[in-house]
Amino acid sequence: SQQGEEDPQALSIQEGENATMNCSYKTSINNLQWYRQNSGRGLVHLILIRSNEREKHSGRLRVTLDTSKKSSSLLITASRAADTASYFCATGITGRRALTFGSGTRLQVQP
Amino acid sequence: GAGVSQTPSNKVTEKGKYVELRCDPISGHTALYWYRQSLGQGPEFLIYFQGTGAADDSGLPNDRFFAVRPEGSVSTLKIQRTERGDSAVYLCASSRSGGATDTQYFGPGTRLTVL
């Protein structure tokens, strides 16, 4: 079963614009991770934020986590056509090593 | 450096047949995971190995699914009496030690189609 819901399901923007994707989850977590997937195949790990962190940056990526609302957001600044992909949030819970993924946001960046 | 590799990349089989999917993790990674991804969905966990043992097989949907990792490296996911509903991309991932915050590195997946 999917732990998280992502919003929006699909997003289309112009190159240079910012893209924001949101993730909500149901249970208490140890950490939340964001992954990117091109063409429905292998996933690439982007960033991990621990449950005691509120914000994290990596290059053009900014992730926030609000554990009281059980939600996270991924912001991609100054988007590029190469950012076109599906983005998934995944949660880790204490005592389990399996990740539970959301249903993903399909991002299209128009050149 | 080699990443996680999976073979075959595509597998087409007929309903009722037996299939084996192989995963070769990153060298030295002790933790190995199998996930299944249906079209338009996120990956769903199947099984997690720490070394040679299955530490968590709670995601296996039924007893037609079985996985092994006899030498703590390569793993094989085995599906008996395949059904059309088994059609999906099967993803394998490995991580260095299986810690809660270890990055899981994913392979390209095997696309299984059951006719």
Side-chain angles (χ1 to χ4, degrees), chain B residues 12 17 23 29-30 36 44 50 64 66 77-78 82 90 99 114:
Chain B
V12 180
K17 298 289 189 184
C23 172
H29 280 194
T30 63
R36 177 169 74 171
E44 290 188 298
Q50 183 57 257
R64 294 187 298 105
F66 190 70
L77 178 66
K78 308 180 181 196
T82 52
Y90 288 80
V114 182

Side-chain angles (χ1 to χ4, degrees), chain B residues 23-37:
Chain B
C23 172
D24 212 326
I26 294 172
S27 178
H29 280 194
T30 63
L32 185 145
Y33 313 78
W34 284 98
Y35 293 83
R36 177 169 74 171
Q37 186 176 23

Side-chain angles (χ1 to χ4, degrees), chain A residues 22-42:
Chain A
N22 302 296
C23 168
S24 60
Y25 56 90
K26 298 172 186 172
T27 63
S28 294
I29 62 172
N30 172 281
N31 66 85
L32 186 143
Q33 306 181 35
W34 285 89
Y35 281 81
R36 168 185 149 150
Q37 185 176 43
N38 290 84
S39 306
R41 299 306 283 261

Side-chain angles (χ1 to χ4, degrees), chain A residues 40-41, chain B residues 5-12 20-22 88-91 107-113:
Chain A
R41 299 306 283 261
Chain B
S5 62
Q6 293 186 245
T7 54
S9 56
N10 287 283
K11 176 71 177 178
V12 180
E20 289 190 351
L21 312 178
R22 175 188 167 112
V89 175
Y90 288 80
L91 295 164
T110 293
R111 186 179 300 278
L112 175 66
T113 302

Side-chain angles (χ1 to χ4, degrees), chain A residues 59-73:
Chain A
R60 294 184 296 114
L61 306 180
R62 173 178 168 253
V63 169
T64 62
L65 178 64
D66 187 335
T67 53
S68 67
K69 295 181 179 177
K70 291 188 168 59
S71 68
S72 174
S73 68

Side-chain angles (χ1 to χ4, degrees), chain A residues 1-2 37 41 96-97 99, chain B residues 9 35 37 56 58 98 108-109:
Chain A
S1 62
Q2 308 276 221
Q37 185 176 43
R41 299 306 283 261
R96 287 199 79 200
R97 296 297 175 258
L99 293 174
Chain B
S9 56
Y35 293 83
Q37 186 176 23
D56 182 353
S58 62

